[in-house]
Amino acid sequence: MNRKLLDPFEPEYPEAVEACLDDEYAVKCAFSHSGSLLATARSDGRCYIWDMDTLNVMRKLNHGEAALLGLSWSRSGRYILTYDEAGICIVWDLQTEAIRARVEFGSAVAHACMHPRTSSKFIVCPTREAPCLVTIGSDGATEPIISPIRISADSVNQKAKAAASTCCCFGKKGVYAFFGSSKGHVYAVDTQSLKVVCSTKLSSSAVNTMARNPRGSDIVTSSSDRILRVCEVQLPGQETRRKVMPADTPPAITVTTKIQDIVNRVHWTQALFSSSGDYIVSGIQHKAEHNIYIWDKFTGSLVKMLTGPNELLEDCAVHPLRAIYASVSTFGIIYMWTRVPQQNWNAFAPGFRELEENIEYLEPEDIFDRRLERPEGEGVDCVQARIQQDKRAAAGADESEMSIDVDITDNDPLFSDSDSQSDDDGFVLPVLVECDDNLVSTLLPEPDPQLADPQLAAKEAPTMPGQTIVES
């Protein structure tokens, strides 16, 4: 679809369910950075990779017997991180379907996140251990390096009792990592020194989920007190939407917007930013409702509510480029929410006129006559006019073959990122062709028993139609 034909003032949130994917055991879902793949974590210990163009399963990864609790994509889309309730984290290489790294912890993993710039680092939040930064070797043969991160209730007093981390996320370039604790704190940690830069207390309730803005420096959190909070982050050297923060900027995390349902007081399953970062998307935890709420980030007002079937909403994900949402129900069905784009053809052809309905064309009686009399009384030879028209068309075709300077590198800031430093950009998941053994056996010819002798087989090798044998 041509993006220039779309209405630039069209809302960026979906309206209704377009398709359903039956996964049966799906509990979590996540889009890749390019939006071409959708990964689902299942309760039976497997991970499915779906193609967004064909809506078919491309890969099936067997993590283990324990139920998966979540997953995270690398920036290139080649590697994916899966973690389960047994404390096992596995980084998969989708090109070879091999395990790149495997790390085991002593407790269940509450949350894990891949580095936004490199696929060799990720952070993990075990339920009964300190959060860790895991570094994977480039060759994959060396053991991963696990670096624990100590976050305390007081970032100044390091002797204070450490708080358990419940969720985590990286900053835009991975220079800082953010952690939410069970005591309602949010910590900003430098990924180089692994020290707490600053912290703030949101509430006395635990922070359940956390997500960063793909187009800015703020983060959104959901807590057990049923309130969504948008926090503005100011850290030294951090790149914001408009400028780069100076090195002497005092670190601070401030709450700018609070969102809650005062009437129903419902719990939220997930809190995410939209693709442009201007809206907050979240689903509710209700056994008989499958609703997704969309708020304005700046004012906190409700913009849209997507109403689905009477099923519990387990998780939701936002497409990184288009107005597409994915939600997982308690029955393992993945609902794809989208909107039908209204194409503005006048932007492509200014003289184009859109018709509300078909118009019957009335053909004139003298359209095929050799000589046509115009109303002004002037006669026109139709044959000669057609010959002149063909000559003008041929001359125009010659001009169309001239080299034209066409800008084919349209770097739309919404669809590209100039500061990308990923080593695997441009990865495309290869297609695996599965052949049926019964079908192959029927197509191949049966072996000749006379050619059982290898010497005889070398002399009289059978040839199939269209096959050429080259002797060395």
Side-chain angles (χ1 to χ4, degrees):
M1 181 181 296
N2 193 346
R3 300 196 310 269
K4 295 183 179 180
L5 297 179
L6 301 181
D7 187 3
F9 302 102
E10 186 179 10
E12 59 177 81
Y13 45 82
E15 292 181 346
V17 177
E18 181 187 21
C20 298
L21 307 178
D22 191 1
D23 201 347
E24 187 178 2
Y25 295 102
V27 292
K28 297 289 182 179
C29 64
F31 284 100
S32 61
H33 185 268
S34 61
S36 60
L37 300 175
L38 176 68
T40 57
R42 297 160 54 97
S43 59
D44 59 353
R46 292 190 294 177
C47 175
Y48 280 9
I49 309 297
W50 297 78
D51 185 12
M52 290 302 299
D53 293 332
T54 61
L55 299 181
N56 292 327
V57 179
M58 298 288 291
R59 294 290 188 276
K60 296 181 180 180
L61 308 177
N62 189 5
H63 181 95
E65 297 181 356
L68 293 181
L69 299 180
L71 45 87
S72 178
W73 285 92
S74 65
R75 184 179 182 85
S76 62
R78 176 177 176 179
Y79 303 99
I80 186 172
L81 169 66
T82 58
Y83 52 93
D84 60 4
E85 59 184 9
I88 301 176
C89 297
I90 298 179
V91 178
W92 299 87
D93 187 355
L94 297 182
Q95 186 172 12
T96 60
E97 292 192 39
I99 297 177
R100 185 183 180 187
R102 177 187 174 96
V103 183
E104 297 184 8
F105 295 92
S107 59
V109 177
H111 195 254
C113 182
M114 291 282 289
H115 196 278
R117 285 294 180 269
T118 177
S119 59
S120 60
K121 293 182 180 180
F122 62 91
I123 50 178
V124 185
C125 295
T127 55
R128 299 181 182 179
E129 302 177 20
C132 304
L133 174 65
V134 182
T135 305
I136 307 173
S138 58
D139 55 353
T142 59
E143 291 293 330
I145 302 175
I146 303 176
S147 304
I149 304 173
R150 188 181 186 277
I151 57 175
S152 61
D154 188 359
S155 59
V156 178
N157 184 12
Q158 296 296 330
K159 295 183 180 180
K161 185 179 179 180
S165 58
T166 55
C167 56
C168 59
C169 70
F170 276 102
K172 184 177 181 180
K173 289 190 175 182
V175 180
Y176 298 97
F178 303 95
F179 296 89
S181 68
S182 58
K183 297 183 179 181
H185 289 80
V186 173
Y187 302 92
V189 179
D190 189 352
T191 56
Q192 297 295 330
S193 61
L194 301 182
K195 294 183 179 180
V196 178
V197 178
C198 65
S199 65
T200 184
K201 186 173 183 179
L202 303 180
S203 64
S204 58
S205 303
V207 181
N208 297 329
T209 62
M210 179 186 298
R212 68 176 179 90
N213 189 351
R215 309 296 173 186
S217 60
D218 45 354
I219 59 177
V220 60
T221 62
S222 65
S223 304
S224 299
D225 58 356
R226 309 173 187 181
I227 299 177
L228 305 179
R229 294 175 175 86
V230 180
C231 303
E232 182 68 25
V233 180
Q234 296 181 358
L235 297 174
Q238 186 181 20
E239 181 178 351
T240 62
R241 203 169 190 175
R242 298 179 179 88
K243 62 180 180 179
V244 178
M245 302 300 294
D248 56 351
T249 302
I253 301 176
T254 57
V255 179
T256 58
T257 308
K258 291 184 180 181
I259 301 172
Q260 61 178 332
D261 190 349
I262 303 177
V263 179
N264 299 323
R265 298 289 296 174
V266 295
H267 288 276
W268 309 108
T269 58
Q270 185 69 275
L272 301 169
F273 283 96
S274 62
S275 58
S276 64
D278 296 333
Y279 298 97
I280 304 298
V281 182
S282 180
I284 64 172
Q285 288 183 351
H286 195 279
K287 61 181 179 179
E289 293 183 3
H290 192 95
N291 300 338
I292 299 177
Y293 290 78
I294 304 172
W295 296 274
D296 187 270
K297 183 188 71 172
F298 303 99
T299 62
S301 58
L302 182 63
V303 178
K304 183 74 174 179
M305 183 181 69
L306 306 178
T307 304
N310 297 329
E311 301 174 3
L312 176 64
L313 191 146
E314 295 285 350
D315 190 26
C316 60
V318 177
H319 195 279
L321 303 178
R322 300 173 57 189
I324 299 177
Y325 296 168
S327 60
V328 181
S329 69
T330 186
F331 298 107
I333 301 176
I334 306 170
Y335 296 97
M336 307 303 299
W337 302 78
T338 184
R339 63 183 300 122
V340 179
Q342 301 295 332
Q343 298 183 358
N344 185 14
W345 292 96
N346 292 329
F348 182 75
F352 183 83
R353 183 169 61 93
E354 297 182 3
L355 302 178
E356 298 294 338
E357 57 183 5
N358 295 334
I359 297 178
E360 184 179 358
Y361 174 70
L362 299 178
E363 182 181 287
E365 296 181 358
D366 54 355
I367 188 173
F368 296 107
D369 295 345
R370 179 177 179 83
R371 186 171 183 83
L372 179 64
E373 296 293 338
R374 291 187 177 180
E376 295 81 2
E378 179 184 359
V380 178
D381 191 349
C382 299
V383 177
Q384 295 297 330
R386 190 176 298 109
I387 294 175
Q388 295 295 332
Q389 184 179 1
D390 294 340
K391 290 182 178 180
R392 289 193 298 267
D398 295 338
E399 295 179 357
S400 63
E401 295 179 357
M402 298 173 58
S403 60
I404 302 175
D405 186 10
V406 180
D407 184 11
I408 60 175
T409 59
D410 186 9
N411 292 329
D412 193 340
L414 182 62
F415 292 84
S416 61
D417 194 357
S418 59
D419 58 0
S420 175
Q421 300 176 359
S422 177
D423 53 352
D424 298 315
D425 285 341
F427 171 75
V428 178
L429 185 65
V431 179
L432 298 180
V433 180
E434 298 181 357
C435 298
D436 190 0
D437 296 338
N438 298 329
L439 180 61
V440 173
S441 60
T442 55
L443 294 178
L444 293 179
E446 297 182 358
D448 192 351
Q450 297 180 358
L451 301 179
D453 189 0
Q455 296 180 358
L456 183 60
K459 295 180 181 179
E460 300 179 2
T463 59
M464 298 180 64
Q467 183 181 4
T468 304
I469 299 179
V470 180
E471 297 182 359
S472 59

XYZ file of all heavy atoms in Angstrom, residues 424-469:
340
model
N 22.427 -6.654 12.710
C 21.639 -7.608 11.942
C 20.445 -6.939 11.274
O 19.409 -7.553 11.094
C 21.143 -8.750 12.845
C 22.290 -9.540 13.437
O 23.208 -9.860 12.680
O 22.274 -9.821 14.633
N 20.557 -5.656 10.926
C 19.446 -4.970 10.278
C 19.174 -5.584 8.910
O 20.085 -5.948 8.180
C 19.749 -3.482 10.123
C 19.630 -2.749 11.448
O 18.981 -3.311 12.345
O 20.186 -1.641 11.588
N 17.910 -5.662 8.561
C 17.538 -6.205 7.270
C 17.377 -7.709 7.267
O 17.374 -8.319 6.191
N 17.210 -8.345 8.408
C 17.041 -9.793 8.456
C 15.642 -10.169 7.978
O 14.645 -9.552 8.356
C 17.257 -10.305 9.879
C 16.888 -11.749 10.073
C 17.703 -12.754 9.586
C 15.711 -12.097 10.718
C 17.361 -14.082 9.753
C 15.368 -13.416 10.896
C 16.198 -14.413 10.414
N 15.576 -11.182 7.131
C 14.321 -11.717 6.627
C 14.255 -13.183 7.008
O 15.190 -13.953 6.733
C 14.204 -11.546 5.099
C 12.903 -12.151 4.601
C 14.291 -10.079 4.719
N 13.168 -13.568 7.643
C 13.026 -14.948 8.093
C 12.882 -15.868 6.894
O 11.962 -15.708 6.081
C 11.801 -15.067 9.007
C 11.586 -16.432 9.663
C 12.721 -16.747 10.613
C 10.255 -16.456 10.406
N 13.778 -16.833 6.720
C 13.662 -17.738 5.559
C 12.468 -18.667 5.701
O 12.032 -19.007 6.803
C 14.990 -18.517 5.590
C 15.445 -18.450 7.020
C 14.972 -17.130 7.547
N 11.960 -19.087 4.550
C 10.791 -19.965 4.507
C 11.261 -21.408 4.456
O 12.133 -21.766 3.650
C 9.911 -19.638 3.283
C 8.714 -20.575 3.224
C 9.455 -18.192 3.342
N 10.705 -22.227 5.307
C 11.021 -23.650 5.335
C 9.933 -24.422 4.601
O 8.737 -24.259 4.876
C 11.136 -24.150 6.776
C 12.247 -23.517 7.621
C 12.245 -24.116 9.013
C 13.599 -23.704 6.958
N 10.349 -25.261 3.665
C 9.411 -26.070 2.880
C 9.377 -27.472 3.471
O 10.409 -28.149 3.546
C 9.833 -26.111 1.396
C 8.852 -26.953 0.600
C 9.926 -24.699 0.831
N 8.204 -27.891 3.898
C 8.019 -29.225 4.458
C 7.409 -30.133 3.388
O 6.343 -29.832 2.844
C 7.112 -29.170 5.684
C 7.691 -28.332 6.831
C 6.779 -28.319 8.034
O 5.675 -28.921 7.933
O 7.144 -27.715 9.049
N 8.091 -31.222 3.105
C 7.639 -32.170 2.077
C 7.034 -33.401 2.741
O 7.558 -33.909 3.744
C 8.802 -32.588 1.174
S 9.549 -31.215 0.260
N 5.977 -33.875 2.155
C 5.324 -35.093 2.638
C 6.089 -36.302 2.109
O 6.359 -36.411 0.907
C 3.881 -35.119 2.171
C 3.094 -36.226 2.847
O 3.676 -36.948 3.668
O 1.889 -36.365 2.541
N 6.438 -37.223 3.010
C 7.197 -38.413 2.600
C 6.403 -39.281 1.635
O 6.957 -39.852 0.684
C 7.602 -39.227 3.828
C 8.553 -38.442 4.725
O 9.193 -37.501 4.220
O 8.636 -38.761 5.928
N 5.109 -39.403 1.848
C 4.294 -40.220 0.948
C 4.233 -39.608 -0.446
O 4.271 -40.316 -1.456
C 2.881 -40.366 1.513
C 2.877 -41.081 2.848
O 3.731 -41.936 3.101
N 1.922 -40.735 3.705
N 4.165 -38.280 -0.513
C 4.118 -37.630 -1.814
C 5.441 -37.767 -2.540
O 5.481 -37.988 -3.760
C 3.751 -36.151 -1.646
C 3.652 -35.305 -2.922
C 2.557 -35.869 -3.822
C 3.366 -33.844 -2.577
N 6.550 -37.660 -1.818
C 7.865 -37.790 -2.439
C 8.082 -39.196 -2.960
O 8.642 -39.416 -4.039
C 8.966 -37.393 -1.437
C 10.346 -37.690 -2.007
C 8.846 -35.922 -1.086
N 7.609 -40.203 -2.219
C 7.793 -41.595 -2.647
C 6.997 -41.897 -3.918
O 7.401 -42.714 -4.735
C 7.373 -42.546 -1.530
O 6.004 -42.341 -1.199
N 5.857 -41.244 -4.095
C 5.066 -41.477 -5.307
C 5.659 -40.774 -6.519
O 5.482 -41.230 -7.648
C 3.627 -40.992 -5.091
O 3.655 -39.610 -4.688
C 2.938 -41.810 -4.005
N 6.344 -39.654 -6.318
C 6.923 -38.917 -7.433
C 8.241 -39.516 -7.904
O 8.544 -39.509 -9.090
C 7.131 -37.446 -7.047
C 5.848 -36.647 -6.780
C 6.208 -35.218 -6.368
C 4.932 -36.631 -7.990
N 9.055 -40.051 -6.975
C 10.342 -40.622 -7.353
C 10.168 -42.007 -7.969
O 9.297 -42.781 -7.545
C 11.250 -40.712 -6.119
C 11.686 -39.370 -5.533
C 12.560 -39.605 -4.307
C 12.442 -38.524 -6.555
N 10.979 -42.363 -8.952
C 10.863 -43.702 -9.567
C 11.398 -44.782 -8.635
O 12.274 -44.538 -7.796
C 11.719 -43.579 -10.829
C 12.718 -42.509 -10.502
C 12.015 -41.538 -9.609
N 10.884 -46.004 -8.796
C 11.335 -47.131 -7.994
C 12.713 -47.590 -8.476
O 13.005 -47.590 -9.676
C 10.343 -48.288 -8.093
C 8.959 -47.943 -7.539
C 8.029 -49.132 -7.619
O 8.474 -50.177 -8.141
O 6.877 -49.005 -7.163
N 13.596 -47.978 -7.548
C 14.940 -48.411 -7.956
C 14.890 -49.719 -8.740
O 14.081 -50.605 -8.465
C 15.661 -48.583 -6.614
C 14.578 -48.813 -5.623
C 13.400 -48.023 -6.092
N 15.753 -49.836 -9.723
C 15.841 -51.029 -10.562
C 16.689 -52.072 -9.839
O 17.840 -51.800 -9.468
C 16.467 -50.674 -11.907
C 16.319 -51.799 -12.923
O 15.887 -52.899 -12.509
O 16.639 -51.566 -14.092
N 16.183 -53.306 -9.629
C 16.995 -54.323 -8.927
C 18.224 -54.738 -9.722
O 19.194 -55.237 -9.144
C 16.020 -55.489 -8.739
C 14.958 -55.273 -9.768
C 14.838 -53.808 -9.952
N 18.242 -54.537 -11.037
C 19.417 -54.920 -11.810
C 20.600 -53.991 -11.553
O 21.728 -54.357 -11.876
C 19.070 -54.894 -13.305
C 17.998 -55.897 -13.710
C 17.709 -55.829 -15.185
O 18.285 -55.001 -15.910
N 16.828 -56.719 -15.651
N 20.303 -52.823 -11.010
C 21.382 -51.881 -10.739
C 21.876 -51.975 -9.304
O 22.415 -51.023 -8.765
C 20.897 -50.450 -11.019
C 20.419 -50.192 -12.458
C 19.954 -48.765 -12.599
C 21.534 -50.491 -13.445
N 21.667 -53.131 -8.671
C 22.154 -53.288 -7.309
C 23.665 -53.362 -7.271
O 24.302 -52.972 -6.304
C 21.543 -54.546 -6.679
N 24.286 -53.935 -8.331
C 25.737 -54.005 -8.403
C 26.283 -52.602 -8.661
O 25.871 -51.943 -9.614
C 26.156 -54.954 -9.525
C 27.650 -55.237 -9.495
O 28.331 -54.685 -8.607
O 28.113 -55.997 -10.369
N 27.182 -52.100 -7.840
C 27.690 -50.737 -8.054
C 28.416 -50.578 -9.374
O 28.374 -49.521 -9.988
C 28.618 -50.504 -6.853
C 28.963 -51.866 -6.359
C 27.766 -52.734 -6.648
N 29.123 -51.651 -9.853
C 29.815 -51.537 -11.131
C 28.813 -51.433 -12.286
O 28.995 -50.645 -13.218
C 30.719 -52.756 -11.336
C 31.841 -52.854 -10.306
C 32.716 -54.068 -10.547
O 32.463 -54.863 -11.458
N 33.757 -54.217 -9.712
N 27.733 -52.230 -12.192
C 26.714 -52.147 -13.223
C 25.965 -50.820 -13.171
O 25.590 -50.265 -14.191
C 25.728 -53.318 -13.061
C 24.619 -53.423 -14.126
C 25.241 -53.598 -15.506
C 23.678 -54.566 -13.770
N 25.775 -50.299 -11.958
C 25.085 -49.021 -11.816
C 25.908 -47.889 -12.377
O 25.383 -46.922 -12.917
C 24.777 -48.764 -10.337
N 27.275 -48.030 -12.285
C 28.126 -46.975 -12.837
C 28.093 -46.977 -14.351
O 28.257 -45.935 -14.984
C 29.555 -47.149 -12.332
N 27.898 -48.180 -14.966
C 27.884 -48.260 -16.423
C 26.528 -47.852 -16.985
O 26.440 -47.213 -18.012
C 28.227 -49.692 -16.864
C 29.641 -50.108 -16.503
C 29.906 -51.524 -16.971
C 31.318 -51.970 -16.585
N 31.592 -53.367 -17.012
N 25.448 -48.284 -16.320
C 24.108 -48.040 -16.836
C 23.321 -47.222 -15.812
O 22.507 -47.759 -15.079
C 23.397 -49.361 -17.131
C 24.109 -50.222 -18.150
C 23.369 -51.508 -18.384
O 22.291 -51.667 -17.764
O 23.837 -52.349 -19.161
N 23.633 -45.975 -15.717
C 22.905 -45.082 -14.808
C 21.658 -44.582 -15.500
O 21.739 -44.052 -16.604
C 23.784 -43.902 -14.403
N 20.486 -44.788 -14.923
C 19.243 -44.353 -15.589
C 19.139 -42.842 -15.591
O 19.589 -42.171 -14.672
C 18.153 -44.997 -14.733
C 18.770 -45.111 -13.379
C 20.220 -45.392 -13.605
N 18.565 -42.344 -16.618
C 18.341 -40.905 -16.738
C 16.855 -40.640 -16.818
O 16.108 -41.388 -17.458
C 19.027 -40.345 -17.993
O 18.499 -41.008 -19.129
C 20.537 -40.565 -17.927
N 16.447 -39.578 -16.172
C 15.060 -39.162 -16.199
C 14.883 -38.124 -17.291
O 15.849 -37.500 -17.726
C 14.645 -38.576 -14.836
C 14.739 -39.582 -13.698
S 14.232 -38.850 -12.141
C 12.523 -38.497 -12.498
N 13.685 -37.930 -17.768
C 13.452 -36.933 -18.827
C 13.906 -35.547 -18.385
O 13.555 -35.097 -17.298
C 11.928 -36.990 -19.029
C 11.534 -38.335 -18.554
C 12.471 -38.689 -17.446
N 14.710 -34.912 -19.235
C 15.208 -33.575 -18.925
C 16.433 -33.569 -18.066
O 16.863 -32.503 -17.616
N 17.038 -34.736 -17.740
C 18.205 -34.808 -16.882
C 19.443 -35.065 -17.711
O 19.447 -35.880 -18.652
C 18.038 -35.933 -15.853
C 19.209 -36.027 -14.861
C 19.014 -37.148 -13.880
O 18.056 -37.898 -13.982
N 19.936 -37.261 -12.958
N 20.527 -34.394 -17.381
C 21.805 -34.536 -18.084
C 22.848 -35.018 -17.107
O 22.988 -34.466 -16.005
C 22.255 -33.193 -18.691
O 21.210 -32.714 -19.551
C 23.544 -33.364 -19.481
N 23.564 -36.085 -17.483
C 24.611 -36.667 -16.640
C 25.951 -36.245 -17.209
O 26.249 -36.456 -18.390
C 24.507 -38.205 -16.577
C 23.153 -38.601 -15.974
C 25.664 -38.781 -15.797
C 22.948 -40.090 -15.898
